[in-house]
Amino acid sequence: MRMLDLFSGIGGISLAASWAGIQTVAFCEIDPFCQKVLAKHWPDVPIFDDVRKINRNALIERGVMKNVSEPAIDLICGGYP
């Protein structure tokens, strides 16, 4: 199962999801400090900084999807403030 983690913070939801066998394929986090933490722990997972700019084309450009027919995301989660 592949997950898109929105408003990720430092990745707590993705960490717990990984224990359940769920792979995080992309993050969206605006805070620079949190982005550094995510990049350290998930160096191969792209980080978007604006949720309004995530779409199929952006996912293809960043390597989350290989083509438009490939299912990329099974689950979307979102952190809260």
Side-chain angles (χ1 to χ4, degrees):
M1 182 170 283
R2 296 165 49 98
M3 179 175 77
L4 170 62
D5 188 344
L6 304 176
F7 319 111
S8 306
I10 60 170
I13 294 174
S14 285
L15 178 61
S18 72
W19 297 336
I22 299 169
Q23 175 192 12
T24 300
V25 295
F27 292 107
C28 184
E29 176 55 52
I30 196 169
D31 183 85
F33 174 78
C34 293
Q35 289 176 358
K36 288 179 185 178
V37 173
L38 294 171
K40 179 182 179 195
H41 293 285
W42 289 275
D44 298 327
V45 178
I47 302 169
F48 294 87
D49 62 0
D50 189 343
V51 71
R52 298 169 296 177
K53 295 182 181 176
I54 299 176
N55 58 39
R56 184 173 291 275
N57 289 335
L59 294 171
I60 291 170
E61 288 173 7
R62 297 289 296 273
V64 176
M65 297 173 57
K66 294 188 181 13
N67 59 55
V68 294
S69 63
E70 177 189 18
I73 309 294
D74 299 303
L75 177 66
I76 299 174
C77 72
Y80 54 92

